[in-house]
């Protein structure tokens, strides 16, 4: 069970970081909202990556991590508790600041392209999205470092010397 959870957690982290890297690259190549057809196409692709790769990878990583930390072997591992805290932050940040806004911008740009939306409302969050992705990539990298090096963050209690 332990190896299966480790495998799932690792695969989720690979997909999560890969999706974030792809989104960062796509953001840098996204045309201006004044070029509505190109902008809508790129935002549609970004929305699909956020919904079909980023979100499932994020959920898999968090779920496998939670099931792994439920095992007794990790209860006294400080690094595992730090990963849990940052994992919850990753999940919240991913939902609120990445997946939701990217899906919403994809829908807005598709509506504007179809003539049902206001093109002036597009592209307002481009800079914030890139910054959020870089922060989440840094946190994910720190989580990988914690998993590899497993630093001792909690000291075991010192036992009194017997007579």
């Amino acid at each position: 069970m332990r190896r299966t959870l480790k495998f799932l957690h690792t695969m989720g982290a690979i997909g999560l970081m890969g999706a974030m890297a792809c989104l960062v690259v796509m953001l840098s190549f996204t045309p201006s909202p004044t070029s509505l057809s190109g902008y809508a196409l790129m935002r549609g692709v970004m929305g699909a990556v956020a919904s079909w790769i980023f979100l499932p990878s994020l959920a898999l990583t968090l779920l496998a991590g939670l099931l792994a930390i439920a095992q007794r072997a990790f209860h006294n591992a400080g690094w595992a508790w730090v990963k849990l805290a940052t994992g919850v932050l990753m999940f919240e940040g991913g939902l609120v600041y990445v997946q939701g806004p990217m899906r919403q911008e994809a829908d807005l740009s598709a509506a504007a392209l179809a003539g049902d939306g206001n093109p002036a409302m597009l592209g307002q969050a481009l800079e914030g999205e890139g910054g959020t992705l870089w922060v989440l990539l840094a946190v994910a990298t720190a989580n990988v470092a914690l998993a590899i090096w497993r630093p001792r963050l909690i000291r075991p209690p010192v036992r009194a010397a017997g007579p």
Side-chain angles (χ1 to χ4, degrees), residues 58 62 86-99 136:
L58 181 62
L62 186 63
T86 57
V88 170
L89 291 175
M90 287 281 300
F91 191 71
E92 181 179 352
L95 285 178
V96 174
Y97 299 110
V98 176
Q99 200 276 333
L136 290 177

Side-chain angles (χ1 to χ4, degrees), residues 68-117:
I69 203 169
Q71 296 178 5
R72 186 171 297 274
F74 295 118
H75 288 186
N76 291 326
W79 63 269
W81 292 103
V82 171
K83 278 185 57 122
L84 173 66
T86 57
V88 170
L89 291 175
M90 287 281 300
F91 191 71
E92 181 179 352
L95 285 178
V96 174
Y97 299 110
V98 176
Q99 200 276 333
M102 289 209 176
R103 187 73 250 154
Q104 181 182 14
E105 191 72 11
D107 293 342
L108 287 173
S109 62
L113 187 62
D116 295 334

Side-chain angles (χ1 to χ4, degrees), residues 21-71:
C22 287
L23 290 170
V24 166
V25 170
M26 285 189 270
L27 272 173
S28 68
F29 286 100
T30 299
S32 169
T34 56
S35 172
L36 190 54
S37 62
Y39 182 80
L41 176 65
M42 187 65 87
R43 292 310 294 214
V45 171
M46 292 170 68
V49 168
S51 295
W52 293 101
I53 299 172
F54 176 82
L55 189 60
S57 296
L58 181 62
L60 177 62
T61 304
L62 186 63
L63 184 61
L66 288 172
L67 290 172
I69 203 169
Q71 296 178 5

